[in-house]
């Protein structure tokens, strides 16, 4: 459950208007379109389904859970270890920048607009080491009393929506097809939330090599609109 105040904060944090620079990243989708791997709504949905269930989005959901749990008991050492792991988990330079830049921006904006002592303490500890977005969101959610299930669901929705927005701009894909794609992903996101709550960290893994390949090829793509 989430109260009205918590819902308001969560919607603000995960809105495209929250100034963390999410719009400038495509997580390899730009090259996947260039290579013909994403061509239309159907192929976009299939790509995002795999990314949500087996790629970085899945790992982020579990890291978010762990960060929220550590912040709830104010375990600074556990948070630092988790933050270091999250920074190291990305498979390419561009996706690492994507997560760490957004995480740092999220902390900066949230400390200004939604201040809390936990956020200040965490940001102070991480100022020279960086922080991935799901970890920053987990700390903020715990600090402001937002329960973990809606945090995970909201994060996965925002992750998918941002990549759909990229595809709408460059496939090209119409706005209606973009929303149809987002709607088609809803059952999977619903199923992933309880799965993420139960996932054993020791067995957490990804299986999305084509996403990493697209990200690496994107680094030298001739014409680019996005940073990843």
């Amino acid at each position: 459950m989430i109260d009205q105040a918590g819902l308001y904060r969560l919607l603000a944090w995960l809105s495209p208007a929250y100034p963390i620079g999410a719009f400038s990243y495509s997580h390899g989708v730009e090259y996947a379109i260039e290579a013909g791997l994403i061509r239309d709504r159907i192929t976009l949905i299939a790509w995002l389904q795999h990314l949500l269930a087996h790629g970085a989005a899945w790992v982020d959901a579990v890291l978010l859970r762990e960060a929220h749990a550590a912040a709830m008991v104010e375990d600074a050492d556990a948070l630092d270890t988790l933050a270091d792991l999250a920074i190291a988990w990305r498979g390419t330079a561009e996706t690492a920048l994507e997560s760490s830049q957004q995480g740092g921006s999220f902390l900066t904006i949230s400390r200004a607009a939604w201040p809390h002592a936990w956020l200040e303490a965490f940001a102070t500890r991480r100022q020279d080491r960086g922080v991935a977005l799901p970890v920053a969101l987990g700390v903020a959610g715990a600090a402001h009393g937002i329960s973990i299930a809606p945090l995970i669901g909201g994060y996965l929705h925002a992750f998918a929506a941002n990549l759909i927005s990229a595809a709408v701009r460059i496939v090209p894909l119409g706005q209606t097809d973009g929303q149809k794609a987002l709607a088609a992903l809803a059952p999977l996101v619903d199923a992933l939330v309880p799965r993420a709550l139960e996932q054993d960290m020791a067995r957490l893994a990804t299986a999305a090599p084509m996403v990493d390949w697209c990200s690496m090829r994107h680094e030298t793509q001739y014409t680019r609109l996005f940073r990843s």
Side-chain angles (χ1 to χ4, degrees):
M1 297 294 292
I2 184 170
D3 62 19
Q4 189 61 40
L7 177 62
Y8 189 91
R9 293 186 185 96
L10 186 58
L11 290 174
W13 295 342
L14 297 175
S15 165
Y18 210 58
I20 63 172
F23 69 91
S24 63
Y25 296 100
S26 82
H27 203 78
V29 164
E30 184 169 23
Y31 188 80
I33 293 169
E34 174 78 12
L37 299 171
I38 297 175
R39 302 176 299 277
D40 50 25
R41 173 168 53 90
I42 301 303
T43 51
L44 173 64
I45 291 171
W47 187 270
L48 294 180
Q49 284 174 331
H50 193 85
L51 184 54
L52 289 168
H54 305 290
W58 164 244
V59 169
D60 283 355
V62 180
L63 292 173
L64 172 55
R65 180 202 74 193
E66 291 293 294
H68 185 274
M72 286 294 289
V73 295
E74 301 184 54
D75 189 337
D77 290 339
L79 270 177
D80 275 338
T81 299
L82 186 68
D84 289 340
L85 175 63
I87 286 289
W89 205 299
R90 287 296 196 256
T92 69
E94 285 192 350
T95 54
L97 173 66
E98 177 182 281
S99 186
S100 61
Q101 182 273 305
Q102 290 185 72
S105 296
F106 181 90
L107 272 183
T108 299
I109 298 302
S110 299
R111 288 162 62 201
W114 311 91
H116 194 284
W118 294 5
L119 286 176
E120 287 298 322
F122 180 64
T124 298
R125 290 196 308 274
R126 299 301 303 180
Q127 59 184 348
D128 297 323
R129 290 181 286 173
V131 57
L133 180 58
V135 176
L137 180 62
V139 175
H144 287 282
I146 300 175
S147 56
I148 187 57
L151 270 175
I152 293 174
Y155 179 84
L156 293 175
H157 167 273
F159 193 105
N162 189 61
L163 301 190
I164 288 171
S165 176
V168 165
R169 284 174 272 173
I170 55 179
V171 166
L173 199 68
Q175 295 286 348
T176 299
D177 269 350
Q179 289 305 307
K180 285 181 177 179
L182 190 61
L185 295 171
L188 176 59
V189 170
D190 287 345
L192 287 174
V193 173
R195 177 180 156 196
L197 293 175
E198 298 174 357
Q199 175 65 43
D200 180 359
M201 272 292 291
R203 297 176 63 85
L204 182 62
T206 60
M210 285 302 293
V211 176
D212 287 343
W213 179 78
C214 285
S215 176
M216 288 185 283
R217 293 301 298 266
H218 184 267
E219 294 174 5
T220 57
Q221 189 173 340
Y222 181 72
T223 301
R224 300 189 302 172
L225 297 177
F226 297 89
R227 300 179 70 185
S228 71

